[in-house]
Amino acid sequence: QVQLVESGGGLVHAGGSLRLSCAASGPTFSTYTMAWFRQAPGKEREFVARIIWRGGGTYYADGVQDRFTISRDNAKNTVYLQMNSLKPGDTAVYYCHAVITVGSVTDNYWGQGTQVTVSS
């Protein structure tokens, strides 16, 4: 059973920074992509950023590309989201997502979520 464990959320003032981490663990697996999504109260979950595990290509949602950076540590099976110049509108629960292959089965996995609150 693959598990994604997030950390790094918290409360920060507008203009501040946070770094989220998400570590994947479990039986032998291959990672295809890892990504961050977020869900604000009363809103649908939305895409934030994605990284292709092999090659390191990155993709961002409009509105975060100039402020957020997604990166990975292959050896630790960990993805990071560095968030700078945070705004109150970034307040949400941030979820880690991964597309992972275990044996011959490829599936989607989600973390439990970590709260990010940006005060004005």
Side-chain angles (χ1 to χ4, degrees):
Q1 179 80 14
V2 173
Q3 289 188 324
L4 303 180
V5 179
E6 299 131 333
S7 61
L11 172 64
V12 64
H13 291 297
S17 298
L18 283 173
R19 189 176 84 151
L20 306 182
S21 301
C22 173
S25 64
T28 302
F29 59 84
S30 297
T31 303
Y32 179 56
T33 68
M34 292 190 78
W36 291 95
F37 288 73
R38 67 186 182 186
Q39 187 166 19
K43 295 187 177 181
E44 294 186 354
R45 191 173 298 188
E46 63 177 7
F47 167 76
V48 176
R50 174 177 289 110
I51 188 164
I52 306 300
W53 212 248
R54 292 184 179 180
T58 57
Y59 305 87
Y60 296 91
D62 292 339
V64 306
Q65 187 162 5
D66 294 333
R67 301 184 294 120
F68 292 5
T69 302
I70 189 169
S71 61
R72 75 197 191 292
D73 183 327
N74 292 41
K76 296 181 179 180
N77 291 313
T78 298
V79 66
Y80 305 97
L81 185 68
Q82 178 67 43
M83 304 185 293
N84 300 326
S85 301
L86 282 162
K87 304 175 182 179
D90 295 317
T91 295
V93 177
Y94 283 69
Y95 295 92
C96 179
H97 172 267
V99 177
I100 287 175
T101 298
V102 180
S104 60
V105 179
T106 299
D107 208 344
N108 293 279
Y109 295 86
W110 291 93
Q112 79 285 358
T114 185
Q115 177 70 47
V116 171
T117 303
V118 184
S119 63
S120 57

